[in-house]
Amino acid sequence: NKMISDAPVGLFLSGGIDSSVIAASANELGFKNLKSYTFSWPGNDEYDETLGARLVAEKFQLDPVFVSLDFDSAEITRRLDRILSSHSQPFINPTVILTDILSERAAKDVKAVLVGDGGDEIFCGYPRYKATGIVGKYSALARLGFPILKAWLAFNRSESPASNHRRRRIRKFVEAGFLPHKAFDHYTTLYPKEALLRECNGRPIDFEFLCSSFNYEGSFLRSCQACDMESFLPFNLLDGADRASMLNSLEIRLPFLSEELYALSLRLPDSALITATRQKEILTAAFFDSLPKEVSMAKKRGFNPPVWHWLKNNPSLLDPLREKDNYVSQYVCSDYLKIKLDRFDSEREDSSMMLWGALVVN
């Protein structure tokens, strides 16, 4: 029923598992020559999505369109202002800029697009699900290696997409101290509680909604899934995607977001969703032979914008945060923000998402 339309329907294609599964399913149902829209950034393997997307488009008879991601600070600012004008409050997730760009291009050809949102929540595809499970199940054992990891972090000082994401993830493990309640803070918030001012315009900081969603009793994997299904997916991903697409008079359709699939997921054992080597195990296994091998075996990429590159290539974007009395200092401790700016400048930490969030609020 996602294909029922009196106007052309297209597809956002990242070359990852979710969008590739949608392409395979549409092809199996007899839909040919669907327009697909993919980000292109030649020379940047971290964010360029064309390789997997080209293979999928060729295999399932799609009509691919590639959209460039590389633009300057004026365009980033214009896109950000455009997105924020559609919200009644600051919206920190920069993925909406990607949705705006693809939606703007897709709207020239089609009136609706299929997207893979919901696949990571339904089938547990986020790396943080596995990480939180490890913290919960093996915290005592993992703490034995704490000094080794701290020494490794001290030796490996570079942290950026230009090097790898491993350091950032290990740093978060160390900062969490391998304790479930600290892992929860890292999992659900952009800034740790200690970085936030205790009172924001007279309103106390309250995380009780998220705490009630993230229940440590039982499976840590299911705790992550429930928290995302009740908070991150509806109030972040779907809200942002809907507003960005509607700005361009484009309808987004979500094949993965169905009660039947979610009910199936809840009936499955954890091992059917995440194994030692792979997330979304059952979905990947079901389509392993149908998809190009390079797609089935590729590591998780995600639909993420190149925020680190945007800020590094356009340093003037961060100038407002360097001012002594910036607006965001009402909410984030100024000393903490200064430390993050210094560490970002020296590439000791990939604090790009924190700084992006501060820019949006500022």
Side-chain angles (χ1 to χ4, degrees):
N1 65 348
K2 301 297 182 183
M3 298 302 299
I4 297 175
S5 176
D6 57 2
V9 175
L11 166 67
F12 284 177
L13 180 65
S14 69
I17 291 295
D18 295 336
S19 60
S20 298
V21 164
I22 293 173
S25 301
N27 179 266
E28 186 176 343
L29 292 172
F31 294 96
K32 313 294 183 185
N33 299 315
L34 294 179
K35 286 275 190 182
S36 63
Y37 302 90
T38 301
F39 280 117
S40 170
W41 195 351
N44 189 314
D45 293 338
E46 184 69 30
Y47 292 97
D48 186 72
E49 299 178 338
T50 57
L51 176 60
R54 286 187 192 278
L55 295 172
V56 172
E58 181 178 352
K59 185 175 181 65
F60 300 118
Q61 302 176 53
L62 302 174
D63 181 9
V65 175
F66 299 99
V67 183
S68 175
L69 253 185
D70 196 10
F71 45 77
D72 61 20
S73 58
E75 177 65 6
I76 296 169
T77 302
R78 185 183 77 82
R79 292 282 178 181
L80 181 58
D81 290 344
R82 170 179 160 85
I83 289 295
L84 293 180
S85 69
S86 70
H87 287 74
S88 57
Q89 60 185 349
F91 192 85
I92 289 175
N93 191 339
T95 299
V96 291
I97 291 185
L98 302 189
T99 305
D100 180 42
I101 297 168
L102 281 188
S103 296
E104 184 178 70
R105 176 59 187 87
K108 297 178 180 179
D109 308 315
V110 299
K111 294 298 182 183
V113 290
L114 308 178
V115 301
D117 289 14
D120 281 321
E121 288 79 12
I122 298 290
F123 291 105
C124 300
Y126 294 121
R128 62 178 180 263
Y129 287 0
K130 182 184 291 187
T132 305
I134 291 173
V135 170
K137 291 181 180 179
Y138 308 110
S139 58
L141 179 63
R143 279 197 294 273
L144 294 176
F146 192 86
I148 297 175
L149 289 179
K150 287 192 72 173
W152 185 88
L153 288 172
F155 179 76
N156 293 273
R157 289 183 169 274
S158 176
E159 181 178 301
S160 72
S163 53
N164 57 65
H165 292 292
R166 184 181 299 132
R167 188 187 189 282
R168 175 174 55 82
R169 289 170 178 156
I170 291 177
R171 173 172 58 82
K172 284 186 171 291
F173 261 53
V174 171
E175 289 173 351
F178 302 103
L179 298 172
H181 72 280
K182 289 292 289 183
F184 167 76
D185 288 344
H186 282 287
Y187 173 71
T188 56
T189 61
L190 186 59
Y191 283 87
K193 291 180 182 179
E194 58 268 22
L196 302 177
L197 300 180
R198 296 304 175 187
E199 298 284 334
C200 298
N201 293 334
R203 297 172 57 189
I205 298 171
D206 182 8
F207 292 104
E208 287 307 312
F209 167 67
L210 290 174
C211 289
S212 64
S213 299
F214 198 96
N215 184 348
Y216 288 114
E217 297 179 4
S219 166
F220 284 87
L221 175 64
R222 298 303 182 173
S223 296
C224 294
Q225 184 184 36
C227 187
D228 276 344
M229 289 295 290
E230 295 178 29
S231 60
F232 181 60
L233 182 63
F235 301 128
N236 192 318
L237 291 186
L238 299 187
D239 178 59
D242 183 61
R243 290 177 185 273
S245 60
M246 287 293 100
L247 272 177
N248 297 281
S249 301
L250 184 75
E251 177 189 352
I252 279 184
R253 297 183 175 184
L254 308 156
F256 281 105
L257 204 61
S258 74
E259 293 184 13
E260 292 82 2
L261 279 181
Y262 188 37
L264 170 64
S265 172
L266 294 178
R267 292 197 300 269
L268 295 172
D270 290 1
S271 59
L273 299 171
I274 290 185
T275 66
T277 58
R278 192 161 63 187
Q279 282 105 237
K280 287 192 282 199
E281 171 66 23
I282 191 169
L283 181 65
T284 304
F287 285 84
F288 191 87
D289 294 330
S290 301
L291 301 179
K293 183 179 179 180
E294 294 85 350
V295 172
S296 297
M297 301 185 68
K299 68 175 183 177
K300 168 73 175 174
R301 292 171 63 97
F303 188 56
N304 299 313
V307 174
W308 187 91
H309 296 276
W310 283 347
L311 297 181
K312 281 292 183 182
N313 295 340
N314 303 278
S316 62
L317 288 171
L318 293 174
D319 287 349
L321 300 183
R322 303 184 194 280
E323 297 177 2
K324 183 177 180 181
D325 297 319
N326 57 63
Y327 180 78
V328 77
S329 63
Q330 299 180 56
Y331 305 97
V332 180
C333 297
S334 57
D335 288 344
Y336 184 89
L337 188 60
K338 184 179 184 304
I339 289 172
K340 291 301 175 182
L341 281 165
D342 291 342
R343 290 179 178 176
F344 177 76
D345 290 339
S346 62
E347 297 188 12
R348 284 179 292 162
E349 277 188 20
D350 180 6
S351 49
S352 54
M353 285 299 298
M354 282 187 175
L355 298 178
W356 179 268
L359 282 174
V360 171
V361 174
N362 205 61

